[in-house]
Every structure is written in structure tokens, then in C-alpha cells.
């Protein structure tokens, strides 16, 4: 038999040669050829198995008919492919899900549905998904979650853009850490988290944030060029301190305008809150509903646009629109607006607008221009400056730690030192919501509070002191005993009584140093 013409087939582990002209069957990734054997010639099927080529000798009962050979060869190659898929599926199942597939179960909320007691559905999951898509998946998304190591995490962090802020780098590391913690429990895909303590980058510095003074907020509220629905939202945020998402999610059923109360059961921290509205806010919202939303149902949104649709966070209330409204109101303080050429942080642009792999612009190391979220900072700053307690502020903002409130302490001192007062009443600041003549004629009545009658305390004349109360004093009076009796007298009487029990140490070394204040002993 003459040797047939041969052509070379490329690829790794490729066969040495393949017949170019043959009457025997062939297909995609396989062909049949004759090969000499001791008993004569045999038919051999050469097929691709993954990256390798393998030979299979056809049984003698197949015959020599091309149709029978073709049918057998196709059936055999199909069985090999099916077996290979089964083995790959078993290997994949043994390795567990990849980092990407498992993380997507978390960001999509499926993990929270499977483990409701251990995993809380995160309302800001879109931000985590955007970070993972942009920075993590392209680097190690295909790594099995079971075999994910510290080196993989370090590879992700090393690929982050060099000008990314320390806070953004920490957010990426937090997402990595959270996914791996969930893989340990409740998913039980790993025995331990490979990220050591201290892996999360520290935030080296925080950029200064902006706030509005009370007179600037009043100017914005009174600017009739700005749409009314926007000014109502701005005034509410500045006086109640809600997050934007919480305010835009409010329905009329969440407000008790008759009593001036608000209930917030669904929020970022899943911590239901309820508090008394500022009286001017309650009056303003009541008139807003009566004059402009008379047909509103309890399930309708409180804050909606000119078309009656709920204001969506991140669209109608974009930061650039808010700053434009400030300009329209005549608020021109330079630090509230971006300077020429300043790069804004990625938060000023919606995360979903970035495509995977696109580099987000880094912010310059300067004060951030004001955003709508900074009305929340305005509320905390002005409230602290006007003497409100930290507990009062946290009841309204939902902050869980004092550290978050302490961020605004310096700004609050600045506001107090420059002599700024609190906000103008909201129903007077917005011209469209001011009371009409009939309402002005009515005298506003403050809510009555039922208090227990106070006893008339006995007064002491400083010139003619009277004896102490009938209750006898102990032989060795203590601060507690003194305070208990002194409480019955006015300032002059308290001074007389305290002088009877306290003296100052006149010489050094006679008594331990306590600023010279001592309780007189019964032996004196």
C-alpha cells in the first residue's frame, strides 16, 4: 500500500500526522485511518480528548462499511465527551464554588435567604458588587473559594490603582474579608479565614466635609426658583437628620402629623426608630399635604417629584443638582463647591455607571464639595452647637457609636463660636407653606404635659438663718447626707449649710492634697 499524503495538525500534544485524502469517515476533532497490524490492517479512531489526542482501535464487528464506521465513531466520541463533562463536574463540585460565584450569592441576597439567622440582607450590596466586579473578580474570581489564600488577597490589593484613597482600599479589603468569613460560616466551605488580623488597611486621613449654616439653609428654603418638592426634602433632611434613602422611602403612613411623630421601621441598620418631629416640620408637612397632595394615600411617598413619582436616591437628588439649587438660592460660599480642575471622588458619580475594570477617579486631598448627604452632617453639627445632647442626636440619626457623632464636634464648636443660631422654623422658611390669615389668627397651643405638683421648698434668709430641717444629721456627715439636706434650700441657704460642714486646710502637709476641701471630723 502506498503511503498517503499527510498534513501536520497544530496544537499541544497534536498527532504526528493526519491523512489528507481518505475515503474513511472523519468529523470535528476525530478521523478514522488504517494501520498495519500483525493480522493485517486494522481501523483506528483518532480523537481529541481535551488537549491530548488519543487512538482507539475499532472492534472487528463494526465492519468496513463507511456508514457503520461513521456511526460508531460519532457515538464513541459523544460518549467520551459526556464522560469528560461528568468528571469535570465532579471535580468542580469537589473544589466547591469559585470566589465569584459564592460572592454573587451574597450580593444577590440568596445567601441571606438560605441562612436568615446568620446573614442579613445588605441594602448597600450594590456598592459591594461594584467593588468586587471592578477590582476582585478580574484578578481571582475563578479561584475556588476552598483554595483561596492570603496570596490571592494580596494580589488583589496590589492590583488596586495607586491613587485610590485609603478608605476605598479598606472597602475592597472589607468585602474580601466578609466573603471569606461567610465561607467559613454559615456556608461551611472553609475551616478558617486566611486573612490575618491587621489585613484591613487603616484610613490614614479623612477629607473635610461641608455643611450649611442656618442662614444658608434658610436662603435655600426660601428660594422659589428651586422646585418646591426639592426644598421640602432639603428642609426635612436638615431638621430631622435622616439618611437620604430613609427619607425618600417614607410613606405618609410613617408620619403622625396630628401628634408630630415619625416611625422608621426599615432603615440601613435594621434598628427601628421613632421620635417626635420638630413642630415646625410637622406643621410644614401637614400644610404641604393639604395644599399640594390632598389626594395622597397612606401608602404614597412623602417626597415625590413634579410627576408624582417617588424620588429615587441617586437620580433626582444628585449632588450636582443640589449644588445648582444652592447657587440658584444665592448661596455662594466657595468651600461648598468644587474648585476648577478638582477631581471629585467616585461617590459623586453613581457606582453603577462604571463598567467592570474601569478606573474610578480619585479625589484630590482637599475639602469635599457639599453633597445632599451633608445635610445630615448639617443636622448633627447645628444640633450639637445649639445644645442638643448626643443621645438626642443619635435617636434621630440612627448612629450606634459615639465616634460617629464625635466627628462633628469640631464643626459644632465652630458654629457655636461664630454665634449661629438654630434653623428657622420650616413652615416659615418655605414661603409656600407659611400659615394663611386664618391660621395666623389662631394662637398656637403648646402640647400640655402632665407633671406631678412640686412641693414648695423652704427658703433660708442669708441674714437670719433658720435651724436645719427636723431630720437629724449624722454624727459623721458625708457628701450624700449634706446633698440630701442642702437640696431643700436656695443658693444662699446652701452656702450657709456647706460652710457649717466644710473647711479648707490652711497648712501644707496636714492633710492629703484634695484642693483644700475636707469634711470636718466629729472630733473637731
Amino acid at each position: 500500500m502506498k503511503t498517503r499524503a499527510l498534513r501536520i495538525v497544530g496544537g499541544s500534544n497534536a498527532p504526528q500526522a493526519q491523512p489528507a485524502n481518505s475515503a474513511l469517515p472523519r468529523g470535528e476533532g476525530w478521523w478514522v485511518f488504517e494501520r498495519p497490524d500483525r493480522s493485517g490492517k486494522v481501523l483506528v479512531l483518532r480523537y481529541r480528548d481535551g488537549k491530548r489526542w488519543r487512538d482507539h482501535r475499532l472492534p472487528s464487528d463494526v465492519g468496513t462499511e463507511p456508514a457503520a464506521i461513521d456511526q460508531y465513531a460519532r457515538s464513541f466520541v459523544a460518549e467520551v465527551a459526556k464522560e469528560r463533562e461528568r468528571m469535570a463536574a465532579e471535580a468542580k463540585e469537589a473544589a466547591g464554588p469559585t470566589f465569584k460565584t459564592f460572592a454573587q450569592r451574597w450580593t444577590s441576597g440568596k445567601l441571606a435567604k438560605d441562612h436568615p439567622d446568620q446573614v442579613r440582607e445588605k441594602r448597600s450590596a450594590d456598592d459591594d458588587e461594584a467593588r468586587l466586579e471592578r477590582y476582585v473578580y478580574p484578578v481571582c474570581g475563578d479561584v475556588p473559594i476552598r483554595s483561596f489564600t492570603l496570596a490571592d488577597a494580596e494580589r488583589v490589593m496590589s492590583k488596586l490603582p495607586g491613587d485610590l484613597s485609603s478608605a476605598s482600599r479598606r472597602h475592597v479589603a472589607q468585602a474580601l474579608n466578609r466573603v471569606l468569613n461567610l465561607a467559613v460560616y454559615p456556608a461551611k466551605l472553609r475551616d478558617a479565614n486566611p486573612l490575618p488580623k491587621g489585613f484591613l488597611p487603616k484610613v490614614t486621613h479623612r477629607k473635610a466635609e461641608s455643611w450649611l449654616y442656618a442662614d444658608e439653609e434658610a436662603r435655600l428654603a426660601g428660594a422659589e426658583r428651586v422646585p418646591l418638592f426639592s426644598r421640602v426634602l432639603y428642609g426635612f433632611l436638615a431638621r430631622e437628620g435622616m439618611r437620604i434613602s430613609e427619607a425618600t422611602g417614607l410613606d405618609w403612613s410613617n408620619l403622625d402629623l396630628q401628634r408630630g411623630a415619625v416611625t422608621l421601621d426599615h432603615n440601613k441598620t435594621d434598628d427601628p426608630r421613632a421620635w417626635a418631629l420638630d413642630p415646625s416640620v410637622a406643621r410644614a408637612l401637614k400644610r404641604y399635604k393639604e395644599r399640594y397632595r390632598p389626594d395622597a394615600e397612606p401608602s404614597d411617598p412623602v417626597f415625590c417629584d413634579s410627576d408624582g413619582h417617588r424620588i429615587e436616591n441617586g437620580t433626582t437628588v444628585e449632588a450636582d443638582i443640589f449644588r445648582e439649587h444652592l447657587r440658584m438660592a444665592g448661596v455662594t460660599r466657595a468651600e461648598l463647591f468644587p474648585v476648577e480642575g478638582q477631581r471629585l471622588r467616585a461617590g459623586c458619580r453613581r457606582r453603577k455607571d462604571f463598567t467592570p475594570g474601569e478606573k474610578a477617579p480619585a479625589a484630590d486631598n482637599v475639602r469635599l464639595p457639599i453633597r445632599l448627604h451633608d445635610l445630615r452632617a448639617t443636622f448633627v453639627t447645628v444640633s450639637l452647637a445649639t445644645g442638643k445632647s448626643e443621645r438626642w442626636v443619635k435617636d434621630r440619626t440612627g448612629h450606634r457609636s459615639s465616634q460617629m457623632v464625635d466627628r462633628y464636634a469640631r464643626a459644632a464648636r465652630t458654629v457655636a463660636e461664630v454665634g449661629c443660631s438654630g434653623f428657622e422654623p420650616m413652615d416659615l422658611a418655605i414661603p409656600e407653606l407659611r400659615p394663611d390669615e386664618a391660621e395666623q389668627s389662631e394662637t398656637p397651643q403648646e402640647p400640655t404635659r402632665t407633671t406631678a405638683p412640686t412641693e414648695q421648698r423652704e427658703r433660708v434668709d442669708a441674714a437670719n438663718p433658720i435651724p436645719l430641717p427636723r431630720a437629724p444629721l449624722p454624727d459623721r456627715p458625708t457628701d450624700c447626707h449634706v446633698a440630701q439636706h442642702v437640696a431643700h434650700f436656695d443658693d444662699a441657704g446652701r452656702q450657709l449649710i456647706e460652710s457649717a460642714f466644710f473647711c479648707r486646710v490652711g497648712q501644707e502637709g496636714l492633710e492629703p492634697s484634695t484642693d483644700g476641701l475636707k469634711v470636718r471630723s466629729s472630733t473637731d
Side-chain angles (χ1 to χ4, degrees):
M1 181 177 179
K2 295 182 179 180
T3 305
R4 298 186 180 127
L6 303 176
R7 66 184 177 89
I8 303 300
V9 178
S12 67
N13 296 325
Q16 295 298 324
Q18 175 182 354
N21 300 316
S22 174
L24 296 175
R26 65 178 61 217
E28 183 67 26
W30 63 271
W31 71 88
V32 179
F33 64 95
E34 291 180 348
R35 186 170 64 187
D37 190 66
R38 294 180 180 178
S39 59
K41 297 178 181 178
V42 296
L43 297 176
V44 177
L45 169 64
R46 179 162 291 176
Y47 62 95
R48 182 186 290 275
D49 186 10
K51 294 183 179 181
R52 304 181 65 87
W53 289 88
R54 301 184 185 278
D55 290 345
H56 169 68
R57 181 173 177 176
L58 271 66
S60 58
D61 57 356
V62 174
T64 57
E65 291 294 329
I69 296 174
D70 182 80
Q71 180 179 359
Y72 177 84
R74 292 182 184 278
S75 176
F76 182 84
V77 171
E79 288 293 331
V80 170
K82 187 181 297 185
E83 179 65 15
R84 186 173 184 81
E85 290 177 359
R86 186 188 64 80
M87 293 175 63
E90 290 180 354
K92 185 176 180 180
E93 183 178 356
T98 63
F99 184 93
K100 180 178 181 178
T101 55
F102 182 76
Q104 286 176 338
R105 288 185 60 198
W106 171 52
T107 55
S108 65
K110 293 181 179 178
L111 204 61
K113 293 180 180 178
D114 295 341
H115 307 279
D117 296 331
Q118 290 78 27
V119 184
R120 178 172 58 89
E121 188 170 356
K122 197 174 181 183
R123 290 182 174 83
S124 58
D126 290 344
D127 293 341
D128 292 309
E129 184 178 4
R131 294 186 188 102
L132 293 170
E133 287 281 356
R134 192 180 308 134
Y135 301 123
V136 180
Y137 295 160
V139 179
C140 60
D142 295 333
V143 176
I145 193 71
R146 294 183 190 273
S147 57
F148 195 94
T149 63
L150 175 61
D152 295 316
E154 291 175 337
R155 193 154 46 94
V156 171
M157 301 304 292
S158 66
K159 296 289 185 180
L160 295 178
D163 55 357
L164 203 64
S165 68
S166 58
S168 298
R169 297 178 67 89
R170 183 177 177 86
H171 287 151
V172 175
Q174 284 176 329
L176 279 171
N177 189 58
R178 178 59 173 161
V179 172
L180 292 171
N181 280 335
L182 292 173
V184 174
Y185 189 80
K188 301 178 183 178
L189 297 175
R190 300 180 57 95
D191 294 331
N193 185 341
L195 305 185
K197 184 179 180 180
F199 175 80
L200 299 183
K202 296 185 180 299
V203 179
T204 55
H205 60 272
R206 296 187 180 276
K207 299 177 179 63
E209 297 181 350
S210 302
W211 71 90
L212 290 179
Y213 288 104
D215 61 306
E216 292 173 330
E217 193 281 331
R219 201 175 306 167
L220 174 62
E224 298 187 34
R225 295 175 57 194
V226 179
L228 175 61
F229 70 87
S230 297
R231 285 182 285 140
V232 173
L233 175 61
Y234 300 157
F236 181 85
L237 291 174
R239 289 166 178 80
E240 297 301 329
M242 279 190 183
R243 299 178 179 90
I244 305 171
S245 58
E246 294 171 347
T248 55
L250 279 180
D251 297 332
W252 289 108
S253 60
N254 300 124
L255 300 176
D256 185 349
L257 299 180
Q258 189 67 27
R259 297 175 177 83
V262 59
T263 56
L264 192 64
D265 293 338
H266 302 286
N267 51 68
K268 178 181 177 180
T269 57
D270 286 336
D271 184 15
R273 311 197 302 272
W275 66 91
L277 291 169
D278 182 281
S280 69
V281 173
R283 293 193 300 267
L285 291 179
K286 185 177 181 180
R287 291 173 192 153
Y288 175 66
K289 183 179 181 182
E290 292 173 350
R291 298 176 184 180
Y292 301 95
R293 304 282 303 284
D295 299 330
E297 299 292 335
S299 59
D300 289 343
V302 175
F303 302 105
C304 58
D305 56 22
S306 56
D307 296 328
H309 301 135
R310 185 185 298 273
I311 296 179
E312 296 294 338
N313 182 21
T315 53
T316 310
V317 292
E318 285 281 5
D320 52 352
I321 296 179
F322 176 54
R323 290 192 288 268
E324 182 60 29
H325 287 168
L326 286 173
R327 292 189 182 96
M328 293 168 61
V331 179
T332 58
R333 186 156 51 100
E335 63 190 63
L336 299 179
F337 304 96
V339 299
E340 184 178 356
Q342 179 183 357
R343 295 176 299 169
L344 303 182
R345 65 181 180 182
C348 296
R349 176 181 166 195
R350 287 173 292 175
R351 297 186 185 278
K352 63 181 181 181
D353 292 338
F354 291 101
T355 57
E358 181 185 357
K359 181 180 175 181
D364 291 332
N365 189 21
V366 294
R367 177 179 295 274
L368 292 173
I370 195 166
R371 308 155 297 161
L372 187 60
H373 181 72
D374 292 327
L375 287 178
R376 179 172 164 89
T378 298
F379 166 80
V380 179
T381 301
V382 174
S383 297
L384 294 177
T386 53
K388 299 297 184 183
S389 67
E390 178 185 313
R391 181 71 264 175
W392 186 91
V393 171
K394 289 166 66 176
D395 285 343
R396 286 153 177 77
T397 60
H399 287 129
R400 292 186 172 181
S401 66
S402 298
Q403 294 177 348
M404 295 297 296
V405 180
D406 287 343
R407 289 186 186 179
Y408 307 98
R410 180 180 299 177
R413 289 193 296 271
T414 301
V415 173
E417 288 170 359
V418 298
C420 292
S421 59
F423 294 116
E424 183 179 350
M426 183 173 169
D427 60 330
L428 301 180
I430 301 178
E432 296 90 334
L433 303 181
R434 290 171 183 165
D436 53 23
E437 296 181 359
E439 292 173 325
Q440 287 179 351
S441 62
E442 299 177 0
T443 303
Q445 298 179 355
E446 294 293 332
T448 58
R449 294 183 176 87
T450 304
T451 57
T454 57
E455 298 181 359
Q456 188 67 27
R457 293 182 178 178
E458 195 173 3
R459 302 184 62 84
V460 176
D461 186 358
N464 300 304
I466 62 175
L468 294 175
R470 290 187 296 272
L473 291 173
D475 294 336
R476 298 179 62 87
T478 63
D479 292 346
C480 179
H481 292 121
V482 173
Q484 181 179 5
H485 291 280
V486 168
H488 294 283
F489 300 94
D490 60 1
D491 294 340
R494 280 196 291 270
Q495 292 178 1
L496 290 173
I497 295 174
E498 289 173 356
S499 64
F501 288 99
F502 297 96
C503 69
R504 290 191 174 273
V505 177
Q507 299 180 14
E508 290 288 342
L510 295 181
E511 295 290 344
S513 175
T514 54
D515 295 333
L517 189 62
K518 292 297 165 191
V519 177
R520 177 169 295 179
S521 157
S522 61
T523 60
D524 289 343

